[in-house]
Amino acid sequence: AAAMAAAQPADTAPQVAEGVVIGSLDAVGYVTLSRAEVLSRVSLRPGQRFSAAEAAADVRRIAELQAVDRAYYSVEVTNGQVALTYVVVEKNLVRSLILRGNKGLSDARLTRELTFTTGDYLDVFAARAGRDAIEELYRKRGYAWAEVTLNEAALTVGQVEYIINEGPRPKIRDVRFEGNHAFKDSELKKAIK
């Protein structure tokens, strides 16, 4: 009978595993975290009976770790025991920061506008805010038509890439006033930057 049980396919439904003794416990998917860090958040251990509610609570505790984007568990019942695996999906890291097309402002000056750096956890909203901050800096520096785009596809591999089109930087050669009767041109020029 034992040989027949080993030949049967494993059952992966949590309902089938409810109340069955846990034979093995594992964690997979971690990159910057260690296996011990992940498993320190779980309460279920080998030898205990499996509880889907407790496994879900363990997943919530794992997801509270700063590096974790999401987590879930999988179970497999083989030979009357549960193989419980916690799967961790970590947040992506900023692996590289690329600025393309900037000539008027240096990379160092532009990166000071960002709230993150290489090695930080990748936050898509921060990357988009960085695009806006770089564009605003260009406007302040006289590049009225500057456009900055973020390569959203590259974010999936941890690459934050800004493509910069500086556009023309017009210079004011002369300021003229028309229709002013109450103030002289020289007085009005003092009020203009």
Side-chain angles (χ1 to χ4, degrees):
M4 293 178 97
Q8 294 176 352
D11 202 329
T12 59
Q15 299 87 347
V16 173
E18 192 70 36
V20 177
V21 173
I22 299 170
S24 66
L25 176 68
D26 201 5
V28 297
Y30 50 87
V31 178
T32 60
L33 295 169
S34 70
R35 180 178 187 271
E37 286 174 304
V38 174
L39 293 180
S40 71
R41 296 300 198 123
V42 303
S43 63
L44 290 174
R45 298 285 180 224
Q48 294 178 326
R49 297 200 176 276
F50 175 78
S51 163
E54 190 57 39
D58 287 347
V59 165
R60 284 192 297 277
R61 284 190 290 275
I62 292 169
E64 290 172 353
L65 290 167
Q66 183 183 8
V68 176
D69 184 41
R70 63 187 181 281
Y72 57 94
Y73 72 90
S74 69
V75 293
E76 188 174 301
V77 179
T78 308
N79 296 332
Q81 289 193 328
V82 172
L84 175 59
T85 305
Y86 292 98
V87 182
V88 176
V89 180
E90 287 191 25
K91 293 176 184 172
N92 204 350
L93 296 175
V94 177
R95 299 185 195 291
S96 65
L97 177 59
I98 301 168
L99 299 162
R100 296 192 194 279
N102 57 312
K103 295 178 185 81
L105 297 174
S106 70
D107 286 1
R109 178 61 190 99
L110 294 176
T111 55
R112 283 200 308 260
E113 296 299 306
L114 304 176
T115 60
F116 60 90
T117 186
T118 305
D120 289 350
Y121 291 115
L122 179 58
D123 180 353
V124 175
F125 298 109
R128 289 176 183 155
R131 174 197 58 213
D132 297 341
I134 291 171
E135 206 167 82
E136 182 60 28
L137 176 64
Y138 268 103
R139 296 215 193 310
K140 287 179 183 175
R141 295 294 174 98
Y143 294 87
W145 293 278
E147 290 182 1
V148 180
T149 56
L150 173 64
N151 182 349
E152 300 262 348
L155 292 175
T156 59
V157 292
Q159 184 176 355
V160 179
E161 179 182 18
Y162 295 108
I163 298 101
I164 301 163
N165 179 0
E166 292 178 340
R169 186 180 185 196
K171 293 186 179 184
I172 299 170
R173 284 186 269 175
D174 189 26
V175 177
R176 296 181 191 160
F177 299 97
E178 294 181 11
N180 54 319
H181 301 290
F183 296 99
K184 294 179 185 178
D185 287 357
S186 60
E187 291 178 61
L188 292 174
K189 282 186 179 180
K190 290 178 188 176
I192 294 177
K193 292 184 179 181

